[in-house]
């Protein structure tokens, strides 16, 4: 029998989907291994940098790395988002705090490349951070 250990961050369980009782692992896996190429059609394509770093999610959520990490929450138009940002590796994990439970939803994780890395997109979000971790 396979037992799956729950991911815990800041004392809160991380849920792979916001729908109660339904684990849409295919959706989560898609978000962790692909990138959106068309916002209108929501088309996605395989992204090697995300896929190669898939195992980094647990490492960072377990807070194994302490140096050069930014942990912060921001109130975005879509709602509250909590970011874990590894400055050395330019790796981002985005969690969404669930409202009805003391849990997080794992939105995505990715390696910052291209224009996002050049514009310091995450550091701009960090400047708007809340005074607490949501």
């Amino acid at each position: 029998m396979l037992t799956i250990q729950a991911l815990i961050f800041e004392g809160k369980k991380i849920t792979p989907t916001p729908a109660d009782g339904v684990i849409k692992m295919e959706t989560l896996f898609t978000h962790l291994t692909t990138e959106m190429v068309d916002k209108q059609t929501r088309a996605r394509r395989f992204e090697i940098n995300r896929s190669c770093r898939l195992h980094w999610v647990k490492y960072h959520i377990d807070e194994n790395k302490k140096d050069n990490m930014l942990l912060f929450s921001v109130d975005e138009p879509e709602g509250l988002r909590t970011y874990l940002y590894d400055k050395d590796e330019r790796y981002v994990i985005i969690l969404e705090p669930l409202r009805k439970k003391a849990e997080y939803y794992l939105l995505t994780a990715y390696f910052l490349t291209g224009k996002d890395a050049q514009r310091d997109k995450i550091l701009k979000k960090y400047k708007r951070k809340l005074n607490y971790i949501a």
Side-chain angles (χ1 to χ4, degrees), residues 86-111:
D86 183 334
K87 292 168 62 176
D88 296 325
E89 299 295 340
R90 296 189 337 228
Y91 188 67
V92 180
I93 298 171
I94 305 173
L95 304 172
E96 177 182 341
L98 296 177
R99 294 181 191 141
K100 296 180 182 178
K101 300 179 185 178
E103 294 181 10
Y104 286 109
Y105 169 52
L106 176 58
L107 287 177
T108 194
Y110 57 92
F111 176 65

Side-chain angles (χ1 to χ4, degrees), residues 2 6 10 12 22 25 35 60 64 68 90 109 118 121 134:
L2 177 68
E10 296 287 305
K12 297 178 183 178
V22 179
M25 293 304 289
E35 65 183 344
H60 285 89
N64 289 316
N68 278 338
R90 296 189 337 228
Q118 293 169 358
K121 186 177 179 180

